């Protein structure tokens, strides 16, 4: 670990010590957890999600019909277990 010094006003220091007592941990531990949480929140907020909704299908019913639309090309496949396994093996090749 790396030692760092911070300066707190009296009221903040007092509140931090009381919080540490209530949590039964050290002030340093509280500060480390708070900094780690802040850094994680900052990283999550900075994720680039610009790829979401990048492809527009022009359809408004995708969420409701996703399974039907996903499997529509496979409707001709038999439900016979032997046929299904033959088709699955063929797809892996």
């Amino acid at each position: 670990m790396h030692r760092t010094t911070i300066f707190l006003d009296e009221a903040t220091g007092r509140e931090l010590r009381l919080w540490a007592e209530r949590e039964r941990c050290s002030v340093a531990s509280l500060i480390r957890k708070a900094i780690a949480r802040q850094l994680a929140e900052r990283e999550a907020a900075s994720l680039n999600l610009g790829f979401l909704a990048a492809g527009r299908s022009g359809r408004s019913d995708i969420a409701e019909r996703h399974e039907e639309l996903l499997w529509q090309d496979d409707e001709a496949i038999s439900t016979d277990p032997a046929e299904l396994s033959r088709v699955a093996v063929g797809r892996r090749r």
Side-chain angles (χ1 to χ4, degrees):
M1 280 198 209
H2 175 79
R3 181 181 294 259
T4 301
T5 302
I6 61 170
F7 294 94
L8 302 172
D9 60 63
E10 293 296 322
T12 302
R14 186 173 39 257
E15 288 296 318
L16 195 54
R17 285 189 300 278
L18 290 171
W19 183 17
E21 286 177 25
R22 283 192 304 270
E23 295 293 319
R24 294 188 174 133
C25 64
S26 68
V27 170
S29 175
L30 284 178
I31 292 171
R32 281 192 297 271
K33 289 177 186 176
I35 291 171
R37 186 172 38 248
Q38 181 67 28
L39 291 174
E41 288 174 8
R42 181 180 174 152
E43 184 176 330
S46 70
L47 290 177
N48 183 359
L49 302 179
F51 64 88
L52 292 179
R56 301 255 182 224
S57 69
R59 300 186 71 132
S60 61
D61 61 346
I62 299 276
E64 292 84 14
R65 298 182 53 214
H66 66 279
E67 287 190 12
E68 176 188 344
L69 295 168
L70 181 63
W71 300 109
Q72 69 185 2
D73 291 337
D74 291 339
E75 288 177 0
I77 296 175
S78 169
T79 56
D80 175 42
E83 177 68 15
L84 288 173
S85 65
R86 184 187 66 72
V87 171
V89 169
R91 285 187 178 167
R92 279 188 250 148
R93 291 182 184 160

